Amino acid sequence: MSELRGFSLSQEELFVCLIVADLPLPLGFDDLANQVFGELPEQYQNYVLGTAERSLIAHGMLELTDDQPVLEPMVAEWLNIISQPSQTWVILHQPAGQKQQANYIHHANNQYLFHRGQGGIHQVIALPQAREIVQAALDIIEPLELEVGATLEGTLSETVFRSIASTRTIKREEVVAQLKTGGLAPNVAEAFGQTFEQLRSISALALLKNKPETSVQQAFTLVCGEQQQWLLVPEAEGQLYVRNLDLTALVQVLHNFAHPQ
């Protein structure tokens, strides 16, 4: 596996690997045991783990040494990074009308590893360097190459934004009224309201520093529509700075996100 650039594990296989390596659960997967076992009675849980262990052995990711399971060295190293990183870039991406997708890029020991768990399958992929974080984010968010005629900006109540973002059926007039009440000027509220009416996705991004303890270094939201794309950044408590931006400006935001000062 010396040429390994990435691998996939079932949630059961990942759970076994973490047990074998005595590693904590990766960020965002505190409920992994529940995902693996559900309501399965305890007396049957070893069957699940045994099946996953044999699958790992068959794929060369695990071997038995003196009857003790030992992970393939690179698998062990990578799982150690995603379980105990020094930094983590979080990208929570929700296409309109769909479930939110959680994506994580972990950094430790001069390595960057992308981790996504979806449909019971966990992907771990190596990114050669920090600049690949920008491309990974673009691949996830898929912004459009839109031009901005005029800069539109303002301050919006975070409570109002969350209320609109969680609404299933968007009625433009009602959304615009809420945005005005939340603090946006009429022209900005009209443009932002149109974006919600033509919504493509909402993506929440954060950079976490995990050592010596977890703290948020950056956090912002991108709201993408068919004709406008918007950046939302926390300001004073409960307030968001809102600004439209073209693709070049959006890429610069992601570059700053990938390369924190």
Side-chain angles (χ1 to χ4, degrees):
M1 298 181 70
S2 59
E3 300 300 320
L4 186 64
R5 290 272 302 136
F7 57 80
S8 296
L9 298 171
S10 70
Q11 59 192 16
E12 294 80 10
E13 291 170 336
L14 176 61
F15 194 66
V16 167
C17 288
L18 296 174
I19 293 172
V20 169
D22 192 24
L23 290 171
L25 295 169
L27 179 68
F29 298 96
D30 293 343
D31 63 340
L32 184 60
N34 184 60
Q35 292 178 24
V36 170
F37 298 123
E39 298 181 0
L40 188 69
E42 188 174 352
Q43 63 266 32
Y44 300 116
Q45 292 180 6
N46 282 337
Y47 292 110
V48 174
L49 298 180
T51 300
E53 183 178 283
R54 289 190 292 274
S55 175
L56 289 165
I57 292 172
H59 290 94
M61 294 184 172
L62 184 73
E63 62 180 35
L64 295 179
T65 303
D66 297 328
D67 291 329
Q68 294 298 315
V70 178
L71 287 176
E72 195 277 338
M74 188 170 286
V75 173
E77 180 185 11
W78 285 20
L79 292 182
N80 184 67
I81 291 172
I82 71 170
S83 296
Q84 302 178 109
S86 58
Q87 286 179 307
T88 299
W89 288 262
V90 182
I91 305 173
L92 304 178
H93 177 65
Q94 185 166 12
Q98 299 181 33
K99 291 184 178 180
Q100 187 181 79
Q101 306 161 356
N103 307 272
Y104 306 90
I105 299 170
H106 301 289
H107 174 227
N109 303 328
N110 294 317
Q111 295 194 66
Y112 298 87
L113 298 179
F114 174 88
H115 177 209
R116 172 192 288 162
Q118 194 170 0
I121 301 298
H122 288 256
Q123 293 178 304
V124 182
I125 301 171
L127 304 180
Q129 46 199 329
R131 68 184 183 189
E132 298 295 330
I133 297 172
V134 176
Q135 188 59 54
L138 289 171
D139 290 343
I140 292 166
I141 298 168
E142 296 184 320
L144 299 178
E145 193 164 347
L146 301 175
E147 295 183 3
V148 173
T151 299
L152 300 173
E153 59 185 346
T155 299
L156 176 65
S157 161
E158 184 174 0
T159 301
V160 168
F161 170 71
R162 290 184 180 276
S163 174
I164 296 171
S166 63
T167 302
R168 292 189 177 184
T169 303
I170 295 294
K171 295 182 179 179
R172 182 174 175 180
E173 296 79 5
E174 295 179 5
V175 168
V176 170
Q178 285 181 274
L179 292 170
K180 290 178 182 177
T181 302
L184 292 183
N187 63 323
V188 181
E190 287 286 347
F192 201 16
Q194 182 184 52
T195 297
F196 276 106
E197 186 180 42
Q198 303 173 344
L199 187 66
R200 296 180 63 247
S201 67
I202 297 177
S203 303
L205 297 89
L207 170 58
L208 308 180
K209 182 179 179 182
N210 299 314
K211 296 178 180 180
E213 59 185 26
T214 301
S215 61
V216 179
Q217 302 295 103
Q218 291 186 42
F220 59 94
T221 300
L222 295 172
V223 179
C224 297
E226 295 294 343
Q227 298 184 45
Q228 294 266 16
Q229 294 165 156
W230 301 80
L231 170 69
L232 290 79
V233 181
E235 277 196 323
E237 185 174 353
Q239 297 293 312
L240 298 170
Y241 169 71
V242 179
R243 176 171 70 90
N244 64 344
L245 70 177
D246 59 18
L247 182 59
T248 300
L250 189 151
V251 171
Q252 185 61 52
V253 168
L254 293 177
H255 176 84
N256 295 341
F257 176 58
H259 302 85
Q261 298 299 317

